[in-house]
Amino acid sequence: MASRNTRILEAAARVIARRGVRGLRVEELAAEAGVSTGLIYYHFKDRTGILRHTLEFINDRAERYTTVRDADAPPLGPREELEQILLLELQDSAEVRENSAAWGELRASAVFDSALREDLARATLVWVQEVAALLGQVRPMAPAAKLAAAAERLTALLEGLSMRWLSGGLGIDHARTLMRGGVEAELSGLESR
């Protein structure tokens, strides 16, 4: 059953990335996942349930591909870990492209959907807190409010760079260079009081 849910959520992420939230049709989702529409409604109740679970799915998937490391690789320092987690959101793989495009579509739809807006706000808060914690490991003497503000700016920068890269307005190498510059600027800002 879990593999069926995963198949449905993978298909939902693909359809949302390709057609947007407004273009998500349960019949098309069922065909993409190779299941019946009744099964989708059974597991997810309604369209809002599909969107909420898809948001969780893409967050979990991003967590996996940004934290995966070779077991034999030496441990990263806090700064390297921070950069790696952010830069792995800018890698040219089908999974990252799909995840980033689906995230952007969900974010855009949240402008008009208050339930989705609340779910995205919670997911974004968790992401900002994770980045703030990593910044705090690099700059342990920085005040919590400054760490949170820096994390907000970095995650917003990453979302903007990702959308520009995905839409062809920016090359991936340049996007990654700009992200590294953003990390450097935020860390420098946390040094000074």
Side-chain angles (χ1 to χ4, degrees):
M1 177 163 9
S3 64
R4 205 178 289 164
N5 276 355
T6 300
R7 237 179 34 232
I8 293 168
L9 293 170
E10 287 171 343
R14 277 192 307 276
V15 171
I16 291 170
R18 193 171 52 237
R19 298 198 182 274
V21 171
R22 293 174 84 176
L24 177 66
R25 303 287 179 262
V26 176
E27 297 76 20
E28 182 181 359
L29 173 57
E32 182 86 19
V35 299
S36 70
T37 57
L39 187 65
I40 291 174
Y41 284 117
Y42 174 78
H43 286 292
F44 302 104
K45 306 293 181 238
D46 56 19
R47 195 168 187 281
T48 300
I50 294 166
L51 294 175
R52 284 184 165 152
H53 283 89
T54 303
L55 176 62
E56 280 180 37
F57 173 78
I58 65 174
N59 280 332
D60 291 346
R61 188 162 65 172
E63 177 83 19
R64 281 192 304 279
Y65 66 66
T66 59
T67 58
V68 71
R69 292 208 5 95
D70 182 358
D72 298 330
L76 296 175
R79 182 189 175 122
E80 290 80 20
E81 184 178 354
L82 170 67
E83 274 193 12
Q84 176 178 298
I85 284 173
L86 295 171
L87 291 174
L88 285 175
E89 288 284 359
L90 295 168
Q91 55 179 315
D92 199 5
S93 75
E95 184 177 54
V96 173
R97 282 179 171 273
E98 182 180 282
N99 238 40
S100 296
W103 175 267
E105 291 294 334
L106 287 163
R107 172 137 345 259
S109 291
V111 171
F112 305 103
D113 183 337
S114 61
L116 189 53
R117 189 176 317 135
E118 292 169 13
D119 291 338
L120 270 161
R122 276 191 294 279
T124 301
L125 178 61
V126 168
W127 186 30
V128 168
Q129 289 171 337
E130 289 170 357
V131 171
L134 289 168
L135 286 164
Q137 290 176 20
V138 180
R139 296 286 188 263
M141 300 307 290
K146 281 192 168 193
L147 293 170
E152 285 275 0
R153 288 187 294 270
L154 286 173
T155 56
L157 174 63
L158 181 54
E159 283 185 6
L161 291 172
S162 180
M163 288 302 107
R164 286 189 183 185
W165 160 59
L166 289 170
S167 64
L170 201 60
I172 192 166
D173 292 334
H174 188 55
R176 291 172 67 88
T177 298
L178 291 171
M179 191 70 238
R180 281 188 193 95
V183 170
E184 178 62 36
E186 290 301 337
L187 290 174
S188 294
L190 290 170
E191 248 178 23
S192 60
R193 291 217 218 194

